[in-house]
Amino acid sequence: MLKKFFTLLACVIGVELVGSISGFFAGDIPAVYAQLNKPLFSPPGSLVGTVWIILYALIGLALFLVIDSKERRSKTFAYLLFAIQLILNFIWSIIFFGASHFWIASFISLFLLISILFSIREFRRISKVAALCFIPYLAWVAFATYLSFGLAILN
């Protein structure tokens, strides 16, 4: 039982760290975001960070549920998809806010959205709850993709 707890903790903290490190390399995200011309329905910058903290916790929980699943089928493809979406997630902020390559970041966001869809499909075969943990992430990244393209157009 203690091993499961530490595995869960490692998954959640690990994913949260990925998000934090990405934000660190992206520079002063609030300052950049405040200066941009924003599309309709853009949330306040203070909300975005809070949402990501919750989403990263759910992403980490999903990983734990896949790891902990008693499903006998191979999990290799699920882990690969998880890694792909996490890498895309990691580089988006750096490309968008750090390098100001809005169009490139928008297409990265689109690829991230697609990789999340594939992850959900694969996770569902292993753990339905893990797949459900990715639904808010999917919804937010769909919205973020809209914002990303909107920001690219306006800036």
Side-chain angles (χ1 to χ4, degrees):
M1 187 62 124
L2 197 55
K3 181 183 176 191
K4 281 188 181 189
F5 173 75
F6 283 116
T7 303
L8 170 62
L9 206 57
C11 290
V12 172
I13 291 172
V15 173
E16 293 282 356
L17 277 173
V18 167
S20 296
I21 293 168
S22 174
F24 174 78
F25 284 117
D28 191 355
I29 294 173
V32 173
Y33 186 73
Q35 294 176 353
L36 295 172
N37 296 316
K38 295 171 195 63
L40 199 58
F41 306 118
S42 293
S46 59
L47 174 68
V48 175
T50 303
V51 169
W52 275 113
I53 290 169
I54 295 165
L55 291 175
Y56 284 135
L58 287 170
I59 294 166
L61 175 60
L63 176 60
F64 168 76
L65 293 169
V66 170
I67 291 169
D68 192 54
S69 170
K70 303 301 181 215
E71 178 62 44
R72 293 183 185 262
R73 77 175 66 222
S74 173
K75 298 177 186 177
T76 304
F77 190 54
Y79 294 142
L80 175 64
L81 289 170
F82 185 87
I84 290 169
Q85 65 78 27
L86 198 59
I87 289 166
L88 290 170
N89 183 308
F90 179 84
I91 64 173
W92 183 88
S93 294
I94 296 167
I95 301 297
F96 191 91
F97 291 107
S100 297
H101 294 301
F102 304 136
W103 282 105
I104 294 170
S106 295
F107 283 101
I108 290 170
S109 186
L110 186 60
F111 294 133
L112 173 58
L113 186 63
I114 293 166
S115 70
I116 293 168
L117 283 167
F118 281 112
S119 294
I120 289 170
R121 187 192 73 193
E122 190 63 22
F123 283 8
R124 191 169 176 269
R125 295 176 181 167
I126 298 167
S127 166
K128 287 181 177 45
V129 177
L132 288 173
C133 287
F134 260 46
I135 299 298
Y137 181 34
L138 175 69
W140 184 258
V141 170
F143 179 60
T145 301
Y146 151 76
L147 290 174
S148 189
F149 276 100
L151 290 164
I153 290 166
L154 295 172
N155 296 281

